[in-house]
Every structure is written in C-alpha cells, then in structure tokens.
Amino acid sequence: MQTLPENDKNSKLYKQRHSLSHILAQAVQQIRPGAKLGFGPPVDNGFYYDFILPEPITEEDFPDLEARMRKIIADKQVFEREDLSVADAISRLESMEEPHKIEYAKELVEKQNLDSLSFYTNGPFVDMCEGPHVENSRHIPADSFKLSSIAGAYWRGDEKNVMMTRIYAFAFENKKELKQYIAKRELALKRDHRKLGAQLEIYVIDDEIGKGLPLWLPNGSVIRSELEKLAYELEFKAGYHQVATPHITKEGLYKTSGHLPYYKESMYPPMQLHEDGGEVQAVPIAGEGEESYYLKPMNCPHHHKIYAAKKRSYRDLPIRLAEYGTVYRYEKSGQLQGLTRVRGMTMNDAHIYCTKEQVKDEFKAVMDLHRQLYELFDFSDYYMRLSVRGDEDARGKYVDDPEAWDYTERVVQEAMDEMELPYVTVKGEAAFYGPKIDIQFRTVIDREFTVSTNQLDFAVPPRFDLSYTGSDGAEYTPYVIHRAPLGTHERFIAFLIEHYGGAFPTWLAPVQVRILPVGEAFMDYARKLNAELRGNLIRAEVDDSNETLGKKIRTNTTQKVPIILVVGQKEQSEASVTVRRYGIKQQETLKFSEFKDTVIDEIRTRRHVKA
C-alpha cells in the first residue's frame, strides 16, 4: 500500500487521515499503556499505525478502539505544532521512552542536515511528526473511518528489525464515501487472485520451496502456456527470433551490465565455486582460481551476448530477440504478496537492436503490440506514463550524455504523439540508461501497479561493445529497446485472475469444456464426444462423478468452467449437446458437429463470449 503523493499533503483528506492516525495511536495507548510508536502515515484508502505492544491487540478490540477514537474526536482536541532544536527533540523522545522514534530522528538529522524537528500534540498525545493535520478534531466526521485489519510489519520494512503490530483503517471525507468504498472492496475481495488462485488450483507457495517462489499447478501451467503461445504467434508475425538463456551466470557479466554493485541488494547471494581435479566444490569466499555465479535478475545481458556472438551489419538490423526468461530477485519478505510480488518470475522479455533511424518506428511497433494485446484482453482501466530525466541536481542518477537524452526523450514523445496514445509525463523516473513508457493498471481493488514497460536504452550497449557496420563501413553502436508487453507470468496472471474474476475466456481457461452425462447410460456418449474434442486440442473433460445433474452443474459453475455440455437421451439420439455457458442463463441445444466447429473457431480467434 502506497502513501499518498507529496502534492496531496495539503488536501483536506490527507490532513483528516493523518490526524486520525494520531487519534488511533492515542486510543491504543489508552488500552495498552506503554505501547511504543512506529510510523502512522496516511495511505491511499485511509491510514495505519505501527506499534510495539505490551499485550497483543486483536480485531475483537476494534469496537472499543473505534468508540475511544470517536470520544477523542468529540473532545475537540486541537492539533498544535512545536518545533524543537535537535538536542531538545532527542531529549523529549528519551523522556517519552520512544526508542524507534529516537533512531529515526537521529537518521533524519544526519541525512537532511536538520537543525530542528517538529512535534504535534493533540490532547495528551504527542508525536514527532512533520504534519500537516486538521486544526481541531471536530473537523473530522466521526463516521468517516473504520478500523479494517491487523498485520505484522517489520520496523522500517527490514526483516532484520523487530516485528511491529500494524493496525489499518479505512478513512474518507464522509460516511457515504466510506460505505461506498467498503461495499466496493468487499465485492473486489471476492476476486482477489490469492483467494481465487487457491480455489481454482492455479498456484501454491510452499515454505519448503521458499517464499515468493510459486509452484504452478496444472491449471496455472495451462494459462502460462496459452500466454506464451499468444506471445510467440504475435512476435513471430512481427519478426522476432526466439532465444533461450541459462538461469545462472558468472559475476563478471553483471559488472559489465552495471547490475553489480548497484543492484546487488535485489540479487540472490553469489555461489562461489572452485574446480578441483574435475570436481566442482562450493567455497565460502571466492579467491584465486574460484568463480562466483549469480542467479540472473535480468535477461538483458544474456541477450546482449547473443547479439555480440557475431559481426552485425546495418542490413541485419533491426534484430529482435525474444524469450520467456525466468529471473530471480531477492525481494524483502514483508513486500512479497501472492503473485504480484515474488522472487522468481518468468518474463515476456525481448530486446530490439536497431539503428538511430529505426528507433521511432520500432518503438511505435512495440506500442502497437501493447495495444493489440490489451484490446484482446478487453483491458480499459489503464494509462501510460512517460518517465524522463529529473532535475539537474539528480544528474548523478542518469548516464551523463545530454545529447543522447535529448534525442531519446524527443523520439519517444513523438512516437506516442503520432500514435495518439494518451500518456502523462513523469520527471525523475527514467531508467538510468534512457526514457521509458510504463503501462499502469488499476485492479478491481483499486490498487495501481505497472504491468508492462517499454524502455529505450542508449547507454548499456557500449558497455558490451555492441556494434554494427554501417553503409559507410564505419562501426556504430545500436540502440536497444527493452520491452515486455505481457510483463511476467506471475504479475500478469494475478491481474487476469482479478480482471476476469477467475472466469477466463474459453481460449485461456484451464478446462474449456466439461461434459455432464445425466446418467450412467450416457457415459459412453459423453466419452466419445470428449475424445473428439480432445482430438481437436480442446481441453475437455467428462464429469463422471455420482452426483446429481444439479450438483454437477453447481460444482462446475463454481469452478468457472466456461462451457458445460449436458448430454442425455435426447442429445444422444440426435447427436447433439445442450450448451450452458458460464454467466449466461439461456442454454441452447446444438448438433455436436455445429458446436465443435463453433468452439474451435472461438478458441482459434481467441474470441471472448461475454455474459
């Protein structure tokens, strides 16, 4: 959950949420005297506060806490700001016995060279805080908030630190907006990919395998395979070449690419190996004659090596190399979340090597590929974000080549404008090697995240001495476009589960057709139809359970099977099937041959028959 943007800090809602977090902390200290404070920021649907508690708090305490918060609001407490010198501020925090606030205060002073720190007081509650807050608690509607959940949270988000108790709350400007949000959220939670992922047997995460390392069950593997097939077909038509690269690589490659040392914290620790008499032995520290290997966090360096494997001419360009490559990144435990934040992921990756003159057309072709995919999936709630350089004082964050930056930022903007694609420009979020387009999606639970990215790179190719021979015989460095329209299997499938509510289009569904014989006498007919469908590569199954027809229909509806075929005496004698589609009340009886042709075409064209 993200804190609200900086430019919202003076909004009425920000002040209201921030003030409510202090009111919550005051109420907690009333029922748990001695509770120590962490952070309590506003977030995009309310606020939270972190505590170290002398005794646990559970959701059963929420009614008491909410009543106390409303009492505090009714007391019309004034929020008063006080600025203290650093020495006085530390002294106050020591008298308050707030060790974590002291730690944070000292770090703030050192990093920002501060000579004072601010505190806010409302009633008996005091907190070191930047603010802002409402002037008086009476400005907060007493029915505009609701405590929602409790979770564990490491101090400062670091798993090496103490685990704190985090209390979340929803908060909006008034009761009506709060009720609307809660109703929408309750509906959205039914689509949560973690819940549906388990219910529909798509994936599991097992502690013995490791946190953030999903195991794809047969149903999930079908979805992965269908996405790869889709990507392969579209990329084949667009002139891409498929490649495959190893999961581990020697340390030197990532020094060349720049991932080491700057990306090291997000990489798995190295494996140090020593070859002795033909046997490979693990050693604790790499020394002379020993080598370090890393699990790859990115596919880019490997693709660059494939490009560099032979001499290239301008006639060869553009070269488009594509791979569904698996990469590994060591995300912090507290940040892992279902399939949206994992440590092992398989990415719809590709790199396009082109001349300067080809950059715009290639970039536009990639954006058109994005558009095709999103139309196919019926996505609409998204926008595009053009990330460019920041201010001059952040110059060290980017490769120092103003001319290349001016060109690449201009060509990307021109490409977007010429395609009439809506976008917003964001300063300071470009990659260190060039501008990028991020496609931002909003899930059904109103959480925004990046599904895919299209990046233009002018800085890394020289690190690998990538080149091509121009028409004049001279050597030139290619530009590289990094693109992943389908992102990673993990994040994209999480989004698809929530987008469709688990009711996938027929072409993507793990089981496309399930045949329900109304009795044992029609089992042979059902199996005959099943064999014919599977012979046409349709994922069909027969429900041969001993349940009643009504129970079979309910079970398969719960499993969100897109097409159910009911067969009995009438269907068997007429070589027909009765077709029931998920979400559509009306059923129809068709000749089986007609149904088969229809579903084959539906799958081939990836058509989505909507309820």
Side-chain angles (χ1 to χ4, degrees):
M1 190 169 294
Q2 301 296 316
T3 55
L4 291 171
E6 289 287 324
N7 58 10
D8 285 338
K9 280 195 171 184
N10 289 317
S11 71
K12 175 183 176 182
L13 184 57
Y14 184 98
K15 293 177 182 179
Q16 184 173 314
R17 287 171 169 169
H18 200 178
S19 302
L20 278 166
S21 74
H22 284 218
I23 291 170
L24 168 62
Q26 185 179 156
V28 167
Q29 290 188 333
Q30 287 177 5
I31 69 170
R32 295 293 185 272
K36 302 303 179 187
L37 304 177
F39 293 132
V43 292
D44 57 9
N45 64 355
F47 60 92
Y48 68 78
Y49 213 111
D50 294 338
F51 305 92
I52 294 180
L53 301 170
E55 295 179 34
I57 281 178
T58 69
E59 293 188 12
E60 292 180 357
D61 296 302
F62 282 3
D64 183 20
L65 284 172
E66 288 178 347
R68 290 172 182 271
M69 291 176 69
R70 292 189 177 97
K71 174 65 168 57
I72 292 169
I73 291 171
D75 288 344
K76 300 181 180 179
Q77 292 184 357
V78 176
F79 283 80
E80 296 181 299
R81 179 183 172 111
E82 184 180 10
D83 290 284
L84 299 179
S85 68
V86 171
D88 288 344
I90 299 298
S91 178
R92 173 174 289 185
L93 291 172
E94 288 174 344
S95 68
M96 294 167 59
E97 298 182 352
E98 292 291 354
H100 297 90
K101 295 284 187 178
I102 293 170
E103 173 194 317
Y104 184 58
K106 290 179 178 178
E107 183 178 312
L108 276 179
V109 168
E110 181 179 349
K111 286 188 174 181
Q112 300 183 22
N113 195 28
L114 302 177
D115 55 16
S116 67
L117 292 167
S118 59
F119 288 74
Y120 273 85
T121 301
N122 59 296
F125 182 75
V126 182
D127 196 4
M128 182 183 76
C129 176
E130 183 183 9
H133 291 278
V134 298
E135 293 181 5
N136 190 301
S137 63
R138 65 183 174 85
H139 297 306
I140 302 173
D143 53 7
S144 65
F145 73 93
K146 179 178 177 58
L147 300 183
S148 60
S149 62
I150 295 177
Y154 292 109
W155 167 242
R156 311 290 297 276
D158 189 337
E159 60 193 36
K160 296 177 182 177
N161 290 337
V162 64
M163 176 72 77
M164 309 186 87
T165 298
R166 175 171 294 177
I167 301 178
Y168 285 103
F170 304 137
F172 291 85
E173 286 197 14
N174 52 56
K175 179 181 179 180
K176 180 181 178 181
E177 290 185 10
L178 175 66
K179 287 184 68 175
Q180 288 175 341
Y181 176 80
I182 291 174
K184 182 178 180 180
R185 187 173 186 275
E186 287 175 352
L187 179 63
L189 288 177
K190 295 178 182 178
R191 291 189 169 204
D192 188 291
H193 81 274
R194 291 164 294 184
K195 176 183 176 181
L196 288 174
Q199 176 186 321
L200 301 177
E201 299 183 2
I202 292 174
Y203 77 99
V204 296
I205 294 177
D206 190 292
D207 283 344
E208 287 195 83
I209 298 295
K211 294 179 179 179
L213 300 172
L215 293 171
W216 292 97
L217 303 177
N219 288 345
S221 294
V222 167
I223 300 171
R224 283 172 54 112
S225 296
E226 287 295 338
L227 291 176
E228 289 187 28
K229 180 182 177 184
L230 170 64
Y232 175 79
E233 290 176 7
L234 292 177
E235 289 166 354
F236 179 83
K237 292 175 183 178
Y240 286 79
H241 299 281
Q242 292 290 316
V243 298
T245 59
H247 291 234
I248 63 171
T249 293
K250 290 165 64 174
E251 178 182 49
L253 183 74
Y254 299 125
K255 289 185 175 178
T256 301
S257 69
H259 287 102
L260 289 175
Y262 304 111
Y263 198 72
K264 190 172 184 177
E265 287 188 3
S266 296
M267 296 170 65
Y268 271 84
M271 296 170 279
Q272 281 88 32
L273 303 177
H274 177 70
E275 293 191 27
D276 185 13
E279 294 185 2
V280 177
Q281 300 176 347
V283 295
I285 301 175
E288 187 176 350
E290 297 159 357
E291 294 180 312
S292 293
Y293 283 78
Y294 282 87
L295 289 169
K296 66 174 177 179
M298 303 281 187
N299 296 307
C300 331
H302 300 72
H303 289 191
H304 297 339
K305 284 296 186 180
I306 291 174
Y307 177 92
K310 70 177 204 177
K311 291 280 290 181
R312 308 288 182 175
S313 162
Y314 72 97
R315 292 189 177 90
D316 301 323
L317 273 56
I319 293 172
R320 308 177 187 95
L321 303 179
E323 175 183 19
Y324 252 111
T326 301
V327 298
Y328 304 88
R329 299 173 188 174
Y330 194 78
E331 301 281 358
K332 293 178 179 179
S333 293
Q335 296 176 330
L336 299 175
Q337 187 178 57
L339 292 176
T340 58
R341 201 72 179 264
V342 293
R343 288 174 172 170
M345 63 212 79
T346 303
M347 184 178 296
N348 169 225
D349 217 354
H351 296 88
I352 302 168
Y353 302 83
C354 58
T355 68
K356 183 176 183 178
E357 295 74 24
Q358 294 168 335
V359 166
K360 184 190 290 187
D361 286 342
E362 289 300 310
F363 201 90
K364 289 168 71 173
V366 171
M367 295 311 303
D368 189 57
L369 184 59
H370 280 79
R371 185 160 54 185
Q372 290 179 56
L373 287 166
Y374 300 158
E375 288 176 357
L376 173 66
F377 289 108
D378 196 28
F379 292 164
S380 58
D381 195 3
Y382 69 92
Y383 70 95
M384 300 183 184
R385 186 170 65 189
L386 167 59
S387 296
V388 296
R389 287 168 295 177
D391 299 328
E392 288 188 7
D393 59 1
R395 186 177 299 166
K397 181 180 175 181
Y398 310 106
V399 172
D400 187 15
D401 190 339
E403 183 178 345
W405 274 106
D406 289 343
Y407 170 72
T408 53
E409 289 178 346
R410 184 178 72 253
V411 77
V412 169
Q413 185 171 344
E414 288 175 355
M416 298 294 287
D417 290 340
E418 289 172 15
M419 295 185 72
E420 298 183 347
L421 294 173
Y423 64 92
V424 297
T425 301
V426 182
K427 290 187 176 182
E429 293 191 15
F432 76 91
Y433 49 71
K436 62 177 180 174
I437 295 289
D438 290 318
I439 293 84
Q440 302 298 116
F441 280 80
R442 184 164 289 278
T443 71
V444 291
I445 57 175
D446 279 340
R447 184 171 57 83
E448 181 180 304
F449 60 84
T450 304
V451 166
S452 55
T453 300
N454 188 14
Q455 303 175 335
L456 180 53
D457 178 2
F458 62 84
V460 175
R463 291 174 178 253
F464 285 86
D465 295 324
L466 302 186
S467 66
Y468 66 91
T469 304
S471 58
D472 57 358
E475 293 294 306
Y476 295 90
T477 301
Y479 285 77
V480 175
I481 296 173
H482 305 243
R483 44 110 291 185
L486 293 175
T488 67
H489 275 320
E490 291 69 23
R491 180 167 287 194
F492 199 77
I493 290 175
F495 186 81
L496 287 178
I497 292 170
E498 296 184 0
H499 177 67
Y500 293 123
F504 298 103
T506 305
W507 70 271
L508 193 56
V511 177
Q512 296 168 320
V513 179
R514 189 158 278 145
I515 306 170
L516 280 53
V518 300
E520 185 65 30
F522 312 107
M523 191 65 72
D524 287 344
Y525 180 56
R527 288 172 178 155
K528 176 185 174 183
L529 302 184
N530 187 63
E532 190 163 345
L533 291 173
R534 293 185 72 85
N536 284 277
L537 301 180
I538 296 169
R539 294 185 291 276
E541 294 180 356
V542 175
D543 185 339
D544 56 4
S545 66
N546 293 322
E547 303 293 346
T548 64
L549 178 62
K551 179 66 184 298
K552 288 181 179 182
I553 290 173
R554 288 192 296 273
T555 298
N556 285 282
T557 300
T558 299
Q559 294 173 357
K560 303 181 188 292
V561 177
I563 301 174
I564 292 173
L565 302 183
V566 178
V567 295
Q569 180 61 55
K570 181 175 184 288
E571 288 82 10
Q572 180 173 278
S573 61
E574 296 178 355
S576 65
V577 290
T578 296
V579 183
R580 299 175 62 101
R581 285 185 175 271
Y582 182 86
I584 298 177
K585 291 183 178 180
Q586 185 177 357
Q587 62 183 36
E588 60 178 338
T589 300
L590 303 171
K591 289 293 185 182
F592 175 69
S593 58
E594 182 183 348
F595 165 77
K596 183 183 69 173
D597 291 344
T598 298
V599 77
I600 287 173
D601 183 68
E602 181 181 330
I603 293 168
R604 180 186 61 81
T605 59
R606 297 186 174 93
R607 189 170 70 254
H608 188 189
V609 179
K610 299 180 183 179

PDB file of all heavy atoms in Angstrom, residues 10 140 145 257 315 347 357 377 524 544 546 549 585 600:
ATOM      1  N   ASN A  10      -1.422  18.772   1.414  1.00  0.00           N
ATOM      2  CA  ASN A  10      -2.226  19.879   1.924  1.00  0.00           C
ATOM      3  C   ASN A  10      -3.717  19.695   1.664  1.00  0.00           C
ATOM      4  O   ASN A  10      -4.511  20.590   1.941  1.00  0.00           O
ATOM      5  CB  ASN A  10      -1.756  21.203   1.305  1.00  0.00           C
ATOM      6  CG  ASN A  10      -0.397  21.617   1.851  1.00  0.00           C
ATOM      7  OD1 ASN A  10      -0.161  21.514   3.054  1.00  0.00           O
ATOM      8  ND2 ASN A  10       0.483  22.060   0.979  1.00  0.00           N
ATOM      9  N   ILE A 140     -13.243  16.411  11.844  1.00  0.00           N
ATOM     10  CA  ILE A 140     -13.254  15.047  11.323  1.00  0.00           C
ATOM     11  C   ILE A 140     -14.622  14.422  11.588  1.00  0.00           C
ATOM     12  O   ILE A 140     -15.016  14.283  12.754  1.00  0.00           O
ATOM     13  CB  ILE A 140     -12.164  14.180  11.988  1.00  0.00           C
ATOM     14  CG1 ILE A 140     -10.781  14.810  11.777  1.00  0.00           C
ATOM     15  CG2 ILE A 140     -12.195  12.755  11.448  1.00  0.00           C
ATOM     16  CD1 ILE A 140      -9.678  14.101  12.551  1.00  0.00           C
ATOM     17  N   PHE A 145     -14.507   6.849   9.285  1.00  0.00           N
ATOM     18  CA  PHE A 145     -13.404   5.883   9.333  1.00  0.00           C
ATOM     19  C   PHE A 145     -13.898   4.549   9.875  1.00  0.00           C
ATOM     20  O   PHE A 145     -14.951   4.458  10.507  1.00  0.00           O
ATOM     21  CB  PHE A 145     -12.263   6.411  10.215  1.00  0.00           C
ATOM     22  CG  PHE A 145     -12.588   6.387  11.686  1.00  0.00           C
ATOM     23  CD1 PHE A 145     -12.244   5.301  12.483  1.00  0.00           C
ATOM     24  CD2 PHE A 145     -13.258   7.452  12.294  1.00  0.00           C
ATOM     25  CE1 PHE A 145     -12.565   5.271  13.833  1.00  0.00           C
ATOM     26  CE2 PHE A 145     -13.576   7.435  13.640  1.00  0.00           C
ATOM     27  CZ  PHE A 145     -13.228   6.330  14.418  1.00  0.00           C
ATOM     28  N   SER A 257      27.316  -5.216 -17.065  1.00  0.00           N
ATOM     29  CA  SER A 257      25.984  -4.638 -17.281  1.00  0.00           C
ATOM     30  C   SER A 257      25.677  -3.493 -16.328  1.00  0.00           C
ATOM     31  O   SER A 257      24.799  -2.671 -16.596  1.00  0.00           O
ATOM     32  CB  SER A 257      24.921  -5.724 -17.113  1.00  0.00           C
ATOM     33  OG  SER A 257      24.827  -6.131 -15.763  1.00  0.00           O
ATOM     34  N   ARG A 315      22.476  -3.991 -42.508  1.00  0.00           N
ATOM     35  CA  ARG A 315      21.456  -4.753 -43.232  1.00  0.00           C
ATOM     36  C   ARG A 315      20.754  -5.771 -42.332  1.00  0.00           C
ATOM     37  O   ARG A 315      19.650  -6.206 -42.629  1.00  0.00           O
ATOM     38  CB  ARG A 315      22.090  -5.476 -44.423  1.00  0.00           C
ATOM     39  CG  ARG A 315      22.593  -4.556 -45.537  1.00  0.00           C
ATOM     40  CD  ARG A 315      23.010  -5.355 -46.749  1.00  0.00           C
ATOM     41  NE  ARG A 315      23.427  -4.513 -47.861  1.00  0.00           N
ATOM     42  CZ  ARG A 315      24.666  -4.100 -48.060  1.00  0.00           C
ATOM     43  NH1 ARG A 315      25.616  -4.480 -47.202  1.00  0.00           N
ATOM     44  NH2 ARG A 315      24.971  -3.332 -49.091  1.00  0.00           N
ATOM     45  N   MET A 347       9.498 -13.848 -17.488  1.00  0.00           N
ATOM     46  CA  MET A 347       9.185 -12.563 -18.115  1.00  0.00           C
ATOM     47  C   MET A 347       9.050 -12.672 -19.629  1.00  0.00           C
ATOM     48  O   MET A 347       9.851 -13.324 -20.295  1.00  0.00           O
ATOM     49  CB  MET A 347      10.314 -11.580 -17.761  1.00  0.00           C
ATOM     50  CG  MET A 347      10.109 -10.171 -18.243  1.00  0.00           C
ATOM     51  SD  MET A 347      11.481  -9.096 -17.719  1.00  0.00           S
ATOM     52  CE  MET A 347      11.298  -9.160 -15.945  1.00  0.00           C
ATOM     53  N   GLU A 357      18.043   5.622 -36.874  1.00  0.00           N
ATOM     54  CA  GLU A 357      16.945   5.958 -37.774  1.00  0.00           C
ATOM     55  C   GLU A 357      15.739   5.030 -37.596  1.00  0.00           C
ATOM     56  O   GLU A 357      14.620   5.374 -37.980  1.00  0.00           O
ATOM     57  CB  GLU A 357      17.419   5.898 -39.230  1.00  0.00           C
ATOM     58  CG  GLU A 357      18.469   6.939 -39.604  1.00  0.00           C
ATOM     59  CD  GLU A 357      19.857   6.615 -39.031  1.00  0.00           C
ATOM     60  OE1 GLU A 357      20.122   5.409 -38.751  1.00  0.00           O
ATOM     61  OE2 GLU A 357      20.670   7.558 -38.870  1.00  0.00           O
ATOM     62  N   PHE A 377      -7.534  -8.639 -24.497  1.00  0.00           N
ATOM     63  CA  PHE A 377      -7.942  -8.973 -23.129  1.00  0.00           C
ATOM     64  C   PHE A 377      -9.071  -8.074 -22.615  1.00  0.00           C
ATOM     65  O   PHE A 377      -9.527  -8.246 -21.491  1.00  0.00           O
ATOM     66  CB  PHE A 377      -6.738  -8.879 -22.190  1.00  0.00           C
ATOM     67  CG  PHE A 377      -5.731  -9.971 -22.385  1.00  0.00           C
ATOM     68  CD1 PHE A 377      -4.503  -9.705 -22.970  1.00  0.00           C
ATOM     69  CD2 PHE A 377      -6.014 -11.267 -21.991  1.00  0.00           C
ATOM     70  CE1 PHE A 377      -3.576 -10.709 -23.150  1.00  0.00           C
ATOM     71  CE2 PHE A 377      -5.087 -12.282 -22.164  1.00  0.00           C
ATOM     72  CZ  PHE A 377      -3.870 -12.008 -22.755  1.00  0.00           C
ATOM     73  N   ASP A 524     -20.919 -43.438 -22.184  1.00  0.00           N
ATOM     74  CA  ASP A 524     -20.155 -43.757 -23.401  1.00  0.00           C
ATOM     75  C   ASP A 524     -20.278 -42.632 -24.429  1.00  0.00           C
ATOM     76  O   ASP A 524     -19.300 -42.286 -25.101  1.00  0.00           O
ATOM     77  CB  ASP A 524     -20.639 -45.070 -24.007  1.00  0.00           C
ATOM     78  CG  ASP A 524     -20.195 -46.276 -23.186  1.00  0.00           C
ATOM     79  OD1 ASP A 524     -19.280 -46.122 -22.348  1.00  0.00           O
ATOM     80  OD2 ASP A 524     -20.762 -47.366 -23.391  1.00  0.00           O
ATOM     81  N   ASP A 544     -17.599 -37.560 -14.408  1.00  0.00           N
ATOM     82  CA  ASP A 544     -18.154 -38.898 -14.211  1.00  0.00           C
ATOM     83  C   ASP A 544     -18.463 -39.176 -12.741  1.00  0.00           C
ATOM     84  O   ASP A 544     -18.520 -40.334 -12.310  1.00  0.00           O
ATOM     85  CB  ASP A 544     -17.199 -39.958 -14.758  1.00  0.00           C
ATOM     86  CG  ASP A 544     -15.811 -39.874 -14.143  1.00  0.00           C
ATOM     87  OD1 ASP A 544     -15.609 -39.036 -13.232  1.00  0.00           O
ATOM     88  OD2 ASP A 544     -14.919 -40.645 -14.566  1.00  0.00           O
ATOM     89  N   ASN A 546     -20.698 -39.333  -9.224  1.00  0.00           N
ATOM     90  CA  ASN A 546     -22.011 -39.917  -8.955  1.00  0.00           C
ATOM     91  C   ASN A 546     -23.025 -38.896  -8.464  1.00  0.00           C
ATOM     92  O   ASN A 546     -24.093 -39.273  -7.971  1.00  0.00           O
ATOM     93  CB  ASN A 546     -21.875 -41.047  -7.920  1.00  0.00           C
ATOM     94  CG  ASN A 546     -21.108 -42.228  -8.469  1.00  0.00           C
ATOM     95  OD1 ASN A 546     -21.254 -42.576  -9.643  1.00  0.00           O
ATOM     96  ND2 ASN A 546     -20.276 -42.852  -7.627  1.00  0.00           N
ATOM     97  N   LEU A 549     -27.362 -34.241 -11.460  1.00  0.00           N
ATOM     98  CA  LEU A 549     -27.050 -33.266 -12.503  1.00  0.00           C
ATOM     99  C   LEU A 549     -26.979 -31.862 -11.928  1.00  0.00           C
ATOM    100  O   LEU A 549     -26.077 -31.075 -12.262  1.00  0.00           O
ATOM    101  CB  LEU A 549     -28.085 -33.335 -13.618  1.00  0.00           C
ATOM    102  CG  LEU A 549     -27.897 -32.311 -14.755  1.00  0.00           C
ATOM    103  CD1 LEU A 549     -26.566 -32.541 -15.470  1.00  0.00           C
ATOM    104  CD2 LEU A 549     -29.064 -32.388 -15.745  1.00  0.00           C
ATOM    105  N   LYS A 585     -27.602 -17.265 -18.610  1.00  0.00           N
ATOM    106  CA  LYS A 585     -28.707 -18.105 -18.141  1.00  0.00           C
ATOM    107  C   LYS A 585     -29.283 -18.968 -19.256  1.00  0.00           C
ATOM    108  O   LYS A 585     -29.641 -20.122 -19.052  1.00  0.00           O
ATOM    109  CB  LYS A 585     -29.807 -17.231 -17.537  1.00  0.00           C
ATOM    110  CG  LYS A 585     -29.421 -16.570 -16.222  1.00  0.00           C
ATOM    111  CD  LYS A 585     -30.583 -15.783 -15.636  1.00  0.00           C
ATOM    112  CE  LYS A 585     -30.198 -15.168 -14.301  1.00  0.00           C
ATOM    113  NZ  LYS A 585     -31.328 -14.381 -13.713  1.00  0.00           N
ATOM    114  N   ILE A 600     -14.122 -24.453 -31.814  1.00  0.00           N
ATOM    115  CA  ILE A 600     -12.799 -24.432 -32.440  1.00  0.00           C
ATOM    116  C   ILE A 600     -12.487 -23.036 -32.958  1.00  0.00           C
ATOM    117  O   ILE A 600     -11.376 -22.509 -32.767  1.00  0.00           O
ATOM    118  CB  ILE A 600     -12.717 -25.484 -33.575  1.00  0.00           C
ATOM    119  CG1 ILE A 600     -12.653 -26.893 -32.990  1.00  0.00           C
ATOM    120  CG2 ILE A 600     -11.489 -25.231 -34.451  1.00  0.00           C
ATOM    121  CD1 ILE A 600     -12.737 -27.994 -34.041  1.00  0.00           C
TER     122      ILE A 600
END
